[in-house]
Structure formats: C-alpha cells, structure tokens
Amino acid sequence: MTDVDQSLDEGILKITLNRPEKLNALSTEILMMLDAIFLEAKTNSDVRALLITGAGKAFCAGADIKRLGECDAQTGYVFAKQGQRVFRSLETLGKPSLAAINGYAFGGGCELAMAATLRVAAVAAKFGQPEVKLGVIPGYGGTQRLARLVGKGRALDLCLTGRTIDAETAEKWGLVNEVVDPDCLIM
C-alpha cells in the first residue's frame, strides 16, 4: 500500500488517501502523487469520474504539520503554490469529482474537499480551517472556495476563529451537498 491508493471500476477512479496514522495529512509526496493522478485522469478516456476519500477516521487533516515546521518563508510559499496548483487541477479537471468525507476534513483536507465538484459527508465528519491557530491562513485556495460555497461571513468565521463545524452545519451552510450514514458514504 502507498500513501495514495487508486482503483478504477466502471469508469470511476477511486482515490484513497492512505496515511491513517497521520490522519491522511498532505505531504509534498502526496501532493505530487495527486498531481500525477489528476493529470492522468484528465487524459484517460476510461476515467469518467473521480471519488476521493480517506482511510481510517479522517478524510484529510490538512498539511503535514511536520512538513510545515520545516518551512521558511520561501519553502512555505513553494509548498502553498504546489497545493494550489494540484487543487486547481482537480477543480478544472473537466470530469465530475466527489469528495466522500468519512471523518476529519481540516485545513488542506477541507480545501481538497472544496476543490471537488460535489461533497458528501458521513454524519460524524468535522470541518474546519484551523490554520489561524498556527499563524497562517488557508494556503491552497480555500479562502476563495470557502467564501463561494458558504458566503463571506461564514468563511471569515471559520478562517479567523479556527473553529470546527459538524456535518449537519456544513450541509446547512452549503459546504457539503449531503450528509449520510457512514455505511452509505461509499457503496
């Protein structure tokens, strides 16, 4: 098993972030893998849609904090630009994508979900943009996507307080399209 697993079944490319011990945190390597997967999916006529999920109790807990701790201003900028490019490629793929959010979707994980065409969450899923607690802002395009999905006021609330919301609130606000029982998330 790798940090990102993929399988193609009946035209649906299932992508699973597979670092459950790190809550599927985004490393440079995972971003590079996603970049390659999205590029291949765009040009592969056998791929008609994408399904993105996470292994274990998290969809994706965001950027790998260890990786962030190693960044200075320049390397942090490069890491942010890499994430922006990868998430933009998902957003503009030209094929529908669904984020099946099985658990925590924080920071870059929430931003990854927002880059998908649609978002479905398990009832226990939690969402947030806690970057402010680290002294930074969402760096992968989340400030723009979040405001488009939930409105400027709610986006500012999440980005400036770092608080989390549950799946029911996320659905009410328009961050997710539907909330389902965990057994129905991926069938």
Side-chain angles (χ1 to χ4, degrees):
M1 295 214 145
T2 64
D3 288 348
V4 180
D5 295 329
Q6 57 181 320
S7 62
L8 183 62
D9 185 31
E10 296 185 21
I12 299 172
L13 180 61
K14 180 181 178 189
I15 301 164
T16 304
L17 301 179
N18 191 21
R19 291 178 78 202
E21 72 287 353
K22 298 281 187 185
L23 300 177
N24 303 317
L26 298 168
S27 63
T28 300
E29 295 76 23
I30 286 182
L31 287 173
M32 288 180 358
M33 286 183 229
L34 289 175
D35 195 23
I37 290 167
F38 297 156
L39 181 62
E40 166 64 21
K42 184 175 189 124
T43 59
N44 185 340
S45 61
D46 292 335
V47 176
R48 296 191 317 262
L50 281 72
L51 173 81
I52 305 166
T53 194
K57 66 181 179 179
F59 172 74
C60 176
D64 191 326
I65 299 300
K66 182 176 183 253
R67 170 70 176 99
L68 285 179
E70 298 167 352
C71 290
D72 59 20
Q74 182 58 37
T75 57
Y77 175 76
V78 170
F79 189 52
K81 292 298 281 184
Q82 179 187 24
Q84 290 169 13
R85 186 185 70 256
V86 172
F87 290 8
R88 181 78 178 139
S89 71
L90 173 61
E91 185 177 47
T92 61
L93 192 66
K95 298 179 182 184
S97 57
L98 173 72
I101 304 153
N102 53 305
Y104 305 123
F106 296 145
C110 190
E111 292 177 277
L112 174 60
M114 288 187 284
T117 310
L118 298 170
R119 289 151 301 285
V120 176
V123 292
K126 303 280 185 208
F127 300 84
Q129 296 295 161
E131 292 90 341
V132 71
K133 294 176 180 179
L134 299 172
V136 296
I137 63 169
Y140 296 157
T143 56
Q144 302 303 304
R145 289 185 189 98
L146 185 59
R148 286 195 300 262
L149 288 169
V150 305
K152 183 179 175 183
R154 289 178 172 151
L156 284 168
D157 175 350
L158 291 177
C159 291
L160 295 177
T161 67
R163 75 180 179 111
T164 62
I165 58 174
D166 60 20
E168 182 182 325
T169 303
E171 182 182 30
K172 186 172 84 176
W173 286 9
L175 181 56
V176 298
N177 303 89
E178 187 175 0
V179 175
V180 299
D181 288 325
D183 298 343
C184 300
L185 188 62
I186 299 174
M187 299 171 95

